[in-house]
């Protein structure tokens, strides 16, 4: 594409009267450009381009498609020297090419030299700034516009909501609407995304009303965005109504519904919907798989997870990094760490997300040394950690008693890895120090850190006070937690347990009275397990399970056997105003013991037992399960709200760091 092709506009070739010939040539030019043959297209059809310079648009679009900056510069030279630069249509396409190719400095320089600018010129530059996330420059160009169209407003609103400046985006939408611009489906989709980001149900409903007035509620983009907004804002039912009322049910619509159920904690509902979608003949995609695999993770339903893994392989989605990462997390959270390792080692490619997922899996299972080794392997691959990788690493060190290693990684975050610690990183360090018994040092860190503490970090220290039976410190730390969240039942329970361990029964009574006065109710412990693709739930005092009576009888016999083996119920933290028999009954009927008894009754000998619990496992259950694993020769895997506990032959993998 050199100078030999160049002809001045005054020397245009003879114009054929055969319009069909020109039409066919234009079609072939378009096809060649769409296939990436830019030079060939120019050489063959230069006569057409000089006859009508607007055909430069095909060549410039091909440069964007091929991501070719060098070809764009060559075309730029031809456009300028031939005088076509004076054509607004051509110059705007050139401006768009530089902008889409990320050459924004060149685009700005070109914009400043444009002989004639129109709304499209400004819109292209705004889009270029939005593309690189420079919203301040985009706003400046937007404010300088003498004339705007709907595309101008859409570009700014979309940019703001895309980068989660949601309040600014909604404010700009209000301003646009007030000036008389009627939004289209694209506008409403962006605004609804902003409402979803803010979880602002009221504003979302107002935008819904706007869509109804304009007759846009049936548009696919609007309906999908509307459903997403309702579900993200906690109104699952309204989101489902929107999806069900759509005239055409597509996989994208079902994905919105499945993801909405998963995001709202309706994990069983997400899996039920997945099965219905398959029965209806729809083909799940990578978005579907990420949602349903994460639901299996939360429910710890390994059977269903394995079936979905099979579907992933059949559809070819096993090559998608996000899906592989979800599978690693799912197998890890279901207690199958070996399977998670196998998937990681067999992956075709690995980005930072995959490495972080596997490091997190090791940490969740108390395998801190493996996590550190994998982290060093990742560094050798040339990957730099981000804040999520380092959080997973700190967590792994914390739950494996690797205090020195964890503190070293924390100290290297800024100076070596250039990652500014966030509140979650400080929380891990407080946990490290707290587990090591350095309670005063942990408190000093909280009070001196540059970020504002939340209830979680104070509660982490409160848990450490319980481990080390520091009743005095526990009281002052509990005050910090309850100042932030007076309704946090877990903090009251932790404080009461610490005081009970120290036999400060008056303090225990005061905590109980405070809970009653404030209307705070203790969250009930729930344990569940999957058996033959059915999930069984157990709660102390709940008789709704069809085998509850048989479980009670079996558990009573089991505890009697454990006592013969040396098990002594730990009633130290149970309320003092109960009789000993009542204390033991309460301990015996903790939900995890009920779930394990049910599993022992209904699974073959030697079959591993996997239990999940919504709260932290208590000390008595931890000791009892050790005895059960030895006496019944079973591997018992318990996932509580903090981590995994692997019980085998009377031992637990978590050691003293549970």
């Amino acid at each position: 594409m050199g100078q030999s092709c160049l002809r001045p506009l005054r020397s245009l070739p003879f114009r054929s009267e055969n319009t069909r010939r020109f039409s066919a040539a234009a079609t072939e030019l378009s096809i060649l450009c769409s296939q990436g043959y830019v030079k060939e297209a120019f050489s063959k059809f230069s006569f057409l381009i000089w006859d009508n310079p607007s055909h430069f648009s095909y060549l410039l679009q091909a440069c964007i498609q091929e991501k070719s900056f060098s070809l764009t510069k060559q075309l730029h030279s031809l456009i300028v020297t031939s005088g076509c630069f004076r054509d607004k249509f051509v110059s705007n396409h050139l401006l768009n090419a530089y902008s889409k190719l990320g050459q924004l400095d060149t685009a700005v320089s070109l914009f400043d030299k444009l002989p004639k600018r129109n709304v499209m010129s400004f819109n292209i530059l705004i889009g270029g700034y939005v593309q690189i996330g420079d919203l301040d420059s985009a706003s400046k160009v937007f404010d300088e516009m003498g004339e705007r169209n709907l595309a101008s407003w859409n570009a700014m609103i979309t940019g703001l909501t895309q980068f989660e400046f949601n309040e600014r985006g909604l404010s700009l939408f209000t301003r646009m609407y007030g000036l008389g611009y009627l939004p289209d489906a694209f506008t409403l989709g962006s605004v609804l995304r902003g409402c979803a980001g803010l979880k602002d149900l009221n504003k979302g409903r107002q935008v819904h009303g706007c869509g109804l007035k304009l007759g846009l509620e049936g548009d696919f983009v609007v309906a999908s965005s509307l459903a997403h907004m309702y579900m993200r804002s906690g109104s699952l039912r309204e989101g489902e109504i929107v999806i069900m009322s759509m005239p055409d049910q597509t996989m994208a619509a079902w994905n919105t519904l499945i993801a909405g159920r998963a995001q709202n904690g309706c994990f069983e509902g997400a899996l039920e919907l997945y099965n219905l979608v398959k029965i209806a003949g729809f083909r799940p995609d990578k978005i579907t798989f990420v949602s349903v695999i994460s639901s299996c993770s939360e429910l710890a339903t390994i059977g269903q997870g394995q079936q979905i893994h099979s579907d992933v392989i059949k559809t070819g989605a096993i090559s998608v990094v996000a899906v592989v990462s979800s599978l690693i997390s799912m197998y890890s959270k279901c207690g199958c760490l070996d399977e998670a390792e196998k998937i990681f080692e067999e992956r075709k490619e690995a980005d930072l997300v995959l490495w972080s997922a596997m490091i997190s899996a090791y940490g969740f299972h108390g395998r801190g040394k493996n996590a550190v080794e994998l982290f060093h392997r990742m560094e050798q691959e040339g990957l730099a950690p981000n804040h999520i990788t380092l959080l997973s690493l700190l967590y792994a060190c914390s739950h494996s008693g690797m205090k020195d290693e964890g503190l070293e990684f924390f100290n290297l975050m800024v100076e070596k890895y250039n990652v500014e610690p966030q509140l979650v990183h400080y929380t891990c360090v407080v946990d490290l120090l707290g587990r090591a018994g350095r309670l005063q040092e942990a408190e000093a860190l909280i009070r001196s850190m540059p970020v504002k503490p939340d209830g979680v970090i104070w509660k982490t220290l409160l848990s450490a006070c319980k481990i080390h039976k520091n009743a005095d410190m526990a009281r002052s730390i509990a005050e910090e937690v309850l100042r932030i969240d007076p309704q946090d039942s877990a903090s009251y329970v932790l404080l009461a347990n610490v005081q009970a361990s120290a036999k400060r029964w008056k303090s225990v009574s005061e905590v109980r009275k405070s809970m009653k006065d404030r209307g705070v109710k203790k969250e009930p412990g729930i344990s569940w397990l999957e058996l033959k693709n059915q999930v069984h739930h157990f709660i102390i005092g709940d008789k709704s399970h069809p085998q509850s009576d048989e479980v009670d009888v079996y558990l009573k016999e089991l505890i009697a056997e454990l006592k013969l083996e040396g098990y002594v119920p730990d009633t130290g933290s149970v309320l003092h105003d109960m009789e000993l028999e009542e204390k033991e009954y309460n301990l015996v009927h903790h939900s995890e013991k009920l779930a394990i008894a049910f599993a022992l009754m209904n699974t073959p000998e030697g079959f591993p037992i996997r239990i999940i619990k919504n709260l932290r496992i208590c000390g008595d259950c931890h000791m009892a399960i050790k005895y059960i694993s030895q006496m019944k020769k079973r591997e018992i895997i318990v996932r509580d709200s903090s981590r995994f506990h692997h019980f085998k032959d009377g031992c637990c993998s978590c050691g003293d760091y549970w």
Side-chain angles (χ1 to χ4, degrees):
M1 196 191 298
Q3 292 296 323
S4 61
C5 300
L6 181 60
R7 294 182 184 180
L9 288 177
R10 64 176 178 272
S11 303
L12 292 176
F14 171 71
R15 292 175 182 264
S16 172
E17 295 298 321
N18 189 342
T19 56
R20 290 183 180 178
R21 177 186 166 220
F22 274 82
S23 177
T27 301
E28 192 174 345
L29 170 67
S30 172
I31 292 171
L32 281 171
C33 288
S34 68
Q35 293 174 345
Y37 300 117
V38 184
K39 290 186 178 182
E40 293 84 346
F42 184 85
S43 298
K44 188 172 182 179
F45 296 105
S46 58
F47 72 92
L48 184 65
I49 294 166
W50 299 126
D51 181 71
N52 184 354
S54 66
H55 289 107
F56 267 115
S57 63
Y58 292 122
L59 301 171
L60 290 166
Q61 282 294 112
C63 289
I64 297 171
Q65 178 184 309
E66 296 300 310
K67 299 179 181 177
S68 178
F69 179 48
S70 61
L71 282 175
T72 304
K73 288 195 296 182
Q74 291 180 53
L75 288 172
H76 186 177
S77 177
L78 286 170
I79 289 167
V80 171
T81 54
S82 65
C84 297
F85 189 62
R86 292 191 296 272
D87 186 307
K88 281 190 293 188
F89 181 79
V90 175
S91 59
N92 277 339
H93 269 279
L94 182 60
L95 181 67
N96 184 56
Y98 281 126
S99 175
K100 290 285 175 62
L101 290 170
Q103 303 295 325
L104 204 55
D105 289 342
T106 307
V108 172
S109 177
L110 178 63
F111 178 83
D112 292 337
K113 294 173 184 175
L114 286 178
K116 294 179 181 179
R117 299 174 187 162
N118 59 9
V119 175
M120 182 61 70
S121 311
F122 282 91
N123 288 350
I124 290 168
L125 196 58
I126 290 170
Y129 279 123
V130 167
Q131 183 178 313
I132 64 170
D134 187 354
L135 298 181
D136 290 336
S137 296
S139 297
K140 186 179 178 183
V141 174
F142 180 80
D143 293 337
E144 290 172 355
M145 295 179 73
E147 178 189 352
R148 302 186 184 101
N149 60 15
L150 183 59
S152 314
W153 294 93
N154 280 349
M156 278 308 306
I157 292 170
T158 300
L160 290 167
T161 55
Q162 178 184 340
F163 289 95
E164 298 187 8
F165 294 98
N166 297 313
E167 291 183 354
R168 285 175 61 187
L170 296 185
S171 176
L172 193 62
F173 171 71
T174 303
R175 181 180 157 199
M176 179 198 99
Y177 200 66
L179 290 171
Y181 291 90
L182 290 180
D184 61 8
F186 193 79
T187 323
L188 293 183
S190 298
V191 174
L192 287 166
R193 183 167 60 238
C195 294
L198 293 170
K199 298 184 179 179
D200 193 327
L201 198 55
N202 290 330
K203 287 183 180 176
R205 284 176 175 149
Q206 290 174 30
V207 178
H208 188 177
C210 178
L212 289 170
K213 288 179 184 177
L214 296 170
L216 293 171
E217 73 280 3
D219 180 89
F220 176 76
V221 172
V222 174
S224 296
S225 301
L226 191 58
H228 173 68
M229 180 279 297
Y230 278 124
M231 293 176 183
R232 184 80 186 274
S233 304
S235 183
L236 182 60
R237 180 60 185 153
E238 286 178 279
E240 290 187 341
I241 290 171
V242 172
I243 292 289
M244 295 304 181
S245 63
M246 290 174 67
D248 297 315
Q249 304 293 336
T250 64
M251 195 61 238
W254 290 116
N255 281 342
T256 301
L257 189 50
I258 292 170
R261 288 188 174 183
Q263 290 163 4
N264 282 276
C266 187
F267 305 117
E268 292 178 14
L271 294 174
E272 286 172 7
L273 193 56
Y274 172 74
N275 291 325
L276 288 174
V277 165
K278 287 204 301 177
I279 292 169
F282 288 93
R283 183 182 174 88
D285 57 24
K286 60 183 180 181
I287 299 172
T288 326
F289 287 130
V290 169
S291 295
V292 293
I293 292 170
S294 67
S295 296
C296 291
S297 297
E298 296 302 322
L299 293 171
T301 51
I302 185 63
Q304 292 183 66
Q306 288 170 330
Q307 290 175 19
I308 294 170
H309 186 182
S310 176
D311 292 341
V312 167
I313 295 170
K314 289 175 185 175
T315 57
I318 195 65
S319 60
V320 179
V321 172
V323 175
V324 177
S325 175
S326 298
L327 283 170
I328 289 172
S329 179
M330 183 272 291
Y331 277 112
S332 165
K333 290 185 176 181
C334 289
C336 302
L337 187 60
D338 290 346
E339 192 64 33
E341 287 178 312
K342 181 182 177 184
I343 291 172
F344 177 78
E345 296 299 343
E346 291 178 352
R347 86 275 183 207
K348 292 181 180 178
E349 56 179 291
D351 65 359
L352 194 58
V353 174
L354 270 184
W355 287 93
S356 299
M358 195 62 229
I359 290 170
S360 176
Y362 280 131
F364 207 39
H365 286 263
R367 301 266 288 272
K369 289 183 179 179
N370 295 91
V372 172
E373 288 171 4
L374 189 63
F375 178 76
H376 290 317
R377 267 181 62 191
M378 186 193 82
E379 285 189 300
Q380 290 168 7
E381 294 278 339
L383 286 172
N386 62 12
H387 68 283
I388 295 174
T389 319
L390 290 165
L391 176 63
S392 300
L393 193 61
L394 288 171
Y395 181 92
C397 291
S398 170
H399 283 263
S400 304
M402 298 168 63
K403 173 181 64 67
D404 295 336
E405 293 90 337
L407 292 175
E408 183 181 356
F409 282 122
F410 181 75
N411 292 330
L412 290 173
M413 279 186 69
V414 175
E415 57 188 77
K416 181 178 179 181
Y417 303 118
N418 198 30
V419 175
E420 195 68 35
Q422 300 175 8
L423 181 58
V424 284
H425 300 101
Y426 283 103
T427 302
C428 274
V429 176
V430 167
D431 194 41
L432 272 167
L433 294 170
R435 289 172 184 273
R438 293 160 62 173
L439 303 180
Q440 284 73 25
E441 194 174 339
E443 182 180 4
L445 176 64
I446 296 175
R447 297 192 184 280
S448 63
M449 64 187 187
V451 291
K452 185 179 179 180
D454 63 357
V456 175
I457 196 168
W458 284 116
K459 198 155 52 177
T460 300
L461 183 53
L462 182 58
S463 295
C465 292
K466 177 180 181 292
I467 292 171
H468 297 285
K469 296 181 170 53
N470 191 326
D472 292 329
M473 191 173 187
R475 179 178 285 277
S476 65
I477 299 304
E479 288 175 1
E480 297 286 355
V481 183
L482 298 175
R483 188 177 294 118
I484 296 170
D485 184 5
Q487 297 298 308
D488 181 49
S489 63
S491 298
Y492 289 100
V493 173
L494 274 171
L495 179 58
N497 285 342
V498 178
Q499 302 299 335
S501 296
K503 302 193 182 307
R504 296 183 177 181
W505 303 116
K506 183 179 179 182
S507 296
V508 173
S509 298
E510 289 173 357
V511 174
R512 291 173 63 191
K513 183 178 184 303
S514 180
M515 287 182 72
K516 185 177 180 181
D517 293 343
R518 294 181 179 180
V520 179
K521 293 186 178 180
K522 180 182 180 295
E523 182 182 359
I526 305 172
S527 294
W528 61 93
L529 74 157
E530 180 190 22
L531 185 62
K532 297 178 181 178
N533 284 339
Q534 185 178 352
V535 178
H536 298 263
H537 296 82
F538 295 91
I539 308 172
I540 185 171
D542 180 20
K543 295 291 185 180
S544 61
H545 192 279
Q547 286 187 255
S548 60
D549 290 338
E550 294 96 314
V551 169
D552 277 352
V553 172
Y554 182 88
L555 189 55
K556 186 176 180 180
E557 294 172 354
L558 179 63
I559 295 300
E561 289 182 62
L562 295 183
K563 287 181 177 179
L564 293 176
E565 295 293 324
Y567 161 69
V568 178
D570 179 10
T571 60
S573 61
V574 183
L575 299 178
H576 73 292
D577 51 359
M578 289 183 181
E579 296 295 333
L580 179 61
E581 186 177 343
E582 187 181 1
K583 289 181 182 182
E584 287 197 14
Y585 179 87
N586 274 358
L587 285 174
V588 166
H589 288 80
H590 277 189
S591 62
E592 54 266 63
K593 291 193 183 84
L594 292 168
I596 289 170
F598 171 80
L600 289 170
M601 292 168 59
N602 291 278
T603 58
E605 289 186 14
F607 194 81
I609 297 172
R610 292 182 173 87
I611 306 293
I612 184 169
K613 184 179 180 180
N614 63 326
L615 304 176
R616 290 283 295 273
I617 188 172
C618 76
D620 178 74
C621 285
H622 195 270
M623 180 58 68
I625 299 170
K626 282 184 179 181
Y627 277 97
I628 294 171
S629 71
Q630 184 175 36
M631 188 174 72
K632 296 296 182 180
K633 301 191 180 334
R634 294 284 194 110
E635 181 181 8
I636 302 174
I637 303 158
V638 180
R639 179 181 131 197
D640 69 9
S641 62
S642 177
R643 56 161 298 161
F644 266 98
H645 307 266
H646 292 259
F647 298 90
K648 191 173 183 180
D649 299 326
C651 299
C652 181
S653 62
C654 62
D656 296 326
Y657 302 100
W658 61 280

